[in-house]
Amino acid sequence: MDVVLNTGDTAWILASSALVLLMTPGLAFFYGGMVRTKSVLNMMMMSFVTIGIVSTLWVIFGYNWAFGSSADSPWIGGWGLSGLGSAVESLANNGGVYPIPTLVFSSFQLMFAIITPALISGAIADRTKFSAWAIFVSAWVTIVYFPVAHWVFDFGDKVGEKLIGVGYLAGKGVLDFAGGTAVHINAGAAGLALALVLGKRHGWRRDPMRPHSLPLVLLGSGLLWFGWFGFNAGSALGANGIAGLALINTQVATGAALIGWLLVEKIRNGHATSLGAASGAVAGLVAITPACAFVAPWAAVIIGLLAGIICSLAVGLKYKFGFDDSLDVVGVHLVPVLGLLEQRLGLAGAERGLAADRHVPAHCRARVADTRQEPRIDAPRHDRLCATALHAQHVGLEVGVCGIDVAGIDDVGAHRLKHRQIGIDRRRAVAGRVADQGDLLLFQYLHDVAVGALADLRRGWREAERHRVFLHVDQFIDPAGVQHRHLVAGDQRRRGERLA
């Protein structure tokens, strides 16, 4: 059956593209408010020039490098020009044909390519020339982002029953729904490398480097939050139930992360801050991105809460390891491993009130027409992943996937044989017991994480109390009758003796 253009899906992806583009100016406000006054214009222009550079490179050759199939290689899509002028009437083909135009799909993916290098700029604030940044962006998206986007996002062009040009990680079975790997982990690793190469700012850890405008920071985080709905929900490539699940998970995870960050600040510092609220929101957005369509909303709340707590503690690691990550890009944008972890734990199941087929990515359904077919032992790994997910729907269970660790076909076959022995009538009961055991293991794990985090906070508080410094005035009168006053520092014990 031929796929025809769907105007509703097309309209949603057009709107999502605009939302994702809005995230880059929002990032400019976010970073611009966090730096000192002398650097604000340079910091904001680093984001805006990225829009111009990446847009130009994308339409010339970037789209073909990321989503082409002429090379039929897991490492690069194609070496030629993008050729988007001849794609006006064609439909998007990525693991299957979608009812949206190729140009709309290309525009949506372009916005991801724009914001990824812009995220890196926060790690090197206050120590990069504008011209050097422009050269770096041009080189980095060409050498790093376009190939990595092909590895993760390109599920191949479907020609007849064959897929050609499947990306390396996509073929291995990586489930990165909206860019946790290609965007955030990629940007976080690049930010760390640049911070190490460029070295520390003058006066780092000596001079106060406070944000010059917290209202700008809050405005930027709000625009990022708003645009992120297009980032995650738009990745469903259609106006459907998966988009709705991604949207609600994005909202609740972000809210929970904001609360988690503020709780840590309240316990550690005695008060919450507006900068902490903005940073916590961004941490939650990053953490839920790779798994926003694979978990139930209650699981998204847990992911967000953990992200807020862990990131608020992780941003201080730069002082321990001695690298100057100016605006905490590394501490916040390497968090998507949480989104991959929860897939392994299996935080959502068909028998727990959420339909299993809503957790199967659209490209999987496009590549396997019959949702009840059995997986084939000799299937390629990228087809084995789809068959595994669809077979999970068949038996009433959801198979957890973490990174490139894909549930093997032999395991699925073992489940199938087991259920045949038990009998069809008992499948639902067995699925319910397995889900209950999974919930028990999950909450035990989360309990251990929470207890460990609170213990670390208590140890840090005791250490701060032990080294707290008190100031008092020491005054005396010299023989000439002149009164002198000195500000003297002493610990709590000496202060108590003096008052006594």
Side-chain angles (χ1 to χ4, degrees):
M1 181 179 178
D2 293 336
V3 179
V4 297
L5 180 70
N6 186 302
T7 56
D9 290 347
T10 302
W12 169 236
I13 305 306
L14 286 171
S16 296
S17 301
L19 288 172
V20 180
L21 177 61
L22 181 65
M23 292 171 62
T24 303
L27 184 71
F29 282 115
F30 183 70
Y31 282 168
M34 292 176 69
V35 298
R36 291 173 287 181
T37 304
K38 67 176 185 178
S39 303
V40 58
L41 290 180
N42 182 68
M43 189 75 252
M44 297 182 73
M45 278 299 297
M46 289 168 74
S47 293
F48 274 89
V49 76
T50 301
I51 299 176
I53 293 172
V54 179
S55 298
T56 303
L57 296 179
W58 182 264
V59 77
I60 295 174
F61 62 87
Y63 177 72
N64 188 41
W65 284 32
F67 291 95
S69 59
S70 59
D72 194 13
S73 167
W75 308 108
I76 195 75
W79 294 106
L81 302 179
S82 293
L84 292 176
S86 59
V88 176
E89 300 298 330
S90 64
L91 297 181
N93 190 344
N94 187 32
V97 179
Y98 287 85
I100 59 175
T102 299
L103 289 179
V104 175
F105 175 76
S106 175
S107 300
F108 181 66
Q109 296 296 336
L110 166 61
M111 306 314 169
F112 286 70
I114 289 173
I115 196 170
T116 304
L119 291 171
I120 303 171
S121 63
I124 54 174
D126 293 335
R127 57 193 191 278
T128 307
K129 292 178 61 177
F130 181 73
S131 57
W133 170 253
I135 296 172
F136 168 78
V137 169
S138 303
W140 188 83
V141 295
T142 301
I143 299 172
V144 179
Y145 181 80
F146 294 157
V148 172
H150 175 73
W151 301 353
V152 179
F153 293 145
D154 194 348
F155 294 92
D157 286 358
K158 188 174 183 180
V159 180
E161 297 299 323
K162 183 180 179 182
L163 288 169
I164 59 174
V166 179
Y168 175 72
L169 294 179
K172 292 292 184 180
V174 170
L175 283 183
D176 181 3
F177 186 77
T181 305
V183 177
H184 298 293
I185 293 179
N186 206 4
L192 176 60
L194 274 184
L196 294 174
V197 170
L198 296 180
K200 305 175 182 65
R201 291 170 289 178
H202 292 297
W204 185 64
R205 302 195 69 174
R206 186 185 70 241
D207 301 335
M209 299 180 181
R210 298 185 179 89
H212 92 282
S213 177
L214 289 176
L216 275 185
V217 176
L218 292 173
L219 173 62
S221 65
L223 290 174
L224 285 170
W225 195 335
F226 178 66
W228 222 291
F229 292 125
F231 195 97
N232 286 354
S235 294
L237 297 181
N240 50 39
I242 296 177
L245 177 64
L247 190 145
I248 187 63
N249 283 345
T250 301
Q251 175 65 25
V252 298
T254 306
L258 187 152
I259 297 301
W261 193 298
L262 294 183
L263 286 175
V264 172
E265 286 190 333
K266 180 66 176 177
I267 296 172
R268 182 177 56 194
N269 305 328
H271 63 278
T273 65
S274 54
L275 179 61
S279 300
V282 174
L285 290 167
V286 173
I288 196 60
T289 292
C292 57
F294 303 131
V295 298
W298 66 265
V301 173
I302 296 175
I303 293 172
L305 189 62
L306 287 176
I309 294 173
I310 294 174
C311 284
S312 64
L313 299 173
V315 294
L317 293 177
K318 61 183 179 182
Y319 300 110
K320 180 177 180 180
F321 294 106
F323 63 90
D324 184 8
D325 177 14
S326 306
L327 306 182
D328 298 321
V329 174
V330 177
V332 171
H333 289 277
L334 287 179
V335 150
V337 290
L338 285 176
L340 298 177
L341 172 64
E342 51 74 25
Q343 295 178 48
R344 187 60 177 175
L345 294 175
L347 297 190
E351 295 299 317
R352 308 301 291 176
L354 210 62
D357 60 349
R358 301 181 72 180
H359 296 277
V360 180
H363 61 264
C364 289
R365 297 204 203 98
R367 283 150 50 188
V368 184
D370 183 6
T371 60
R372 299 294 182 181
Q373 79 173 47
E374 300 293 340
R376 295 182 293 115
I377 300 298
D378 58 344
R381 289 187 66 87
H382 54 270
D383 285 335
R384 286 170 57 187
L385 172 63
C386 296
T388 300
L390 295 171
H391 183 75
Q393 176 187 357
H394 178 59
V395 299
L397 298 171
E398 181 172 346
V399 180
V401 180
C402 176
I404 61 175
D405 181 15
V406 183
I409 294 299
D410 293 337
D411 296 335
V412 177
H415 278 295
R416 175 161 43 86
L417 292 175
K418 177 181 178 180
H419 282 288
R420 283 178 178 173
Q421 293 172 2
I422 295 175
I424 297 176
D425 295 336
R426 299 182 60 188
R427 285 184 181 179
R428 186 174 300 274
V430 173
R433 287 198 298 272
V434 172
D436 291 338
Q437 293 173 7
D439 289 346
L440 181 60
L441 292 175
L442 166 65
F443 283 111
Q444 181 63 41
Y445 169 79
L446 295 177
H447 174 268
D448 295 342
V449 170
V451 169
L454 290 176
D456 291 340
L457 285 175
R458 284 196 294 268
R459 282 194 295 270
W461 182 266
R462 294 194 195 99
E463 191 69 17
E465 286 291 332
R466 187 178 301 114
H467 296 286
R468 178 181 290 186
V469 174
F470 292 86
L471 300 178
H472 60 273
V473 177
D474 194 1
Q475 59 182 359
F476 66 94
I477 301 176
D478 62 13
V482 179
Q483 185 176 23
H484 298 269
R485 292 187 177 185
H486 299 277
L487 192 63
V488 181
D491 58 22
Q492 188 172 9
R493 180 180 55 81
R494 291 181 57 192
R495 176 176 179 270
E497 293 175 352
R498 195 172 191 85
L499 290 177

